[in-house]
Amino acid sequence: MSPGLPVVELVVLGPAALRALADGDLVAAEAAAPVPLSPYLAGPECRWVWGVRAEQVVADPASARWITRVVRDRERGLTVGRAGFHGPPDAAGMVEVGYSTDPLHRRQGYARAALRALLAWAAEEPAVTTVRASVAPSNTASRDLVLAEGFVAVGEQVDEEDGLEIVYEVAVGVRLR
């Protein structure tokens, strides 16, 4: 980790916690989770992600180790957001990242720390060659973050949920800093 960045861990959630978060049931999610959670994770901004991931692990249990996890600040004992891959690497070795920081904890380095943890994880996986991030053109904070971490724009796509996105990619192990 770089000086000044928080030290984060990416905590795996089991199927029961994923389903409870998708349902917006923070009490049940916390009962099934290995760490305390935050209301943000069970709120409207995150629920759709947990729903997709809950269904994904039922359909493909092996994907569970790849998907969205809880981002936790180890030193402060706080759950500050979510981050992970959309699933296992595809046939070409590509994984796509997704991350979001609780508004109460934004602009404190958590997204950068989480993204760097995901990049380090990808670098440890022999099947991964490329990491992708899809960013809405209006999301300048995320765009600036991926560019600072060595990603380059490779195209555009229209996502059903998010609309137009710019697609950025970086080869595993490539870092500017």
Side-chain angles (χ1 to χ4, degrees):
M1 246 351 104
S2 294
L5 281 185
V7 177
V8 298
E9 60 185 331
L10 304 179
V11 180
V12 176
L13 297 178
L18 293 171
R19 175 48 45 207
L21 286 171
D23 294 341
D25 187 343
L26 182 59
V27 172
E30 282 197 318
V35 296
L37 303 175
S38 69
Y40 169 74
L41 294 173
E45 186 176 328
C46 295
R47 286 179 63 182
W48 70 273
V49 170
W50 302 123
V52 169
R53 300 301 170 235
E55 292 174 16
Q56 183 177 4
V57 298
V58 168
D60 179 16
S63 71
R65 76 179 207 89
W66 289 95
I67 63 163
T68 310
R69 298 176 178 201
V70 170
V71 178
R72 184 160 170 79
D73 181 323
R74 279 193 286 188
E75 294 172 351
R76 295 176 63 199
L78 291 174
T79 299
V80 298
R82 59 180 167 80
F85 300 111
H86 291 207
D90 67 13
M94 188 275 296
V95 290
E96 184 166 353
V97 295
Y99 50 85
S100 181
T101 303
D102 184 324
L104 295 173
H105 303 291
R106 289 184 180 158
R107 307 311 256 168
Q108 297 175 41
Y110 289 116
R112 183 174 310 281
L115 180 57
R116 286 186 179 176
L118 291 170
L119 290 169
W121 173 8
E124 295 288 321
E125 294 289 338
V128 178
T129 59
T130 305
V131 178
R132 173 177 285 174
S134 301
V135 180
S138 62
N139 189 344
T140 56
S142 191
R143 180 204 62 212
D144 292 350
L145 172 59
V146 298
L147 290 173
E149 294 303 317
F151 287 74
V152 295
V154 297
E156 296 180 351
Q157 67 183 19
V158 177
D159 182 81
E160 288 179 13
E161 291 283 327
D162 301 323
L164 178 65
E165 297 175 324
I166 309 302
V167 178
Y168 298 89
E169 291 183 352
V170 65
V172 169
V174 173
R175 287 286 268 301
L176 292 179
R177 299 177 205 235

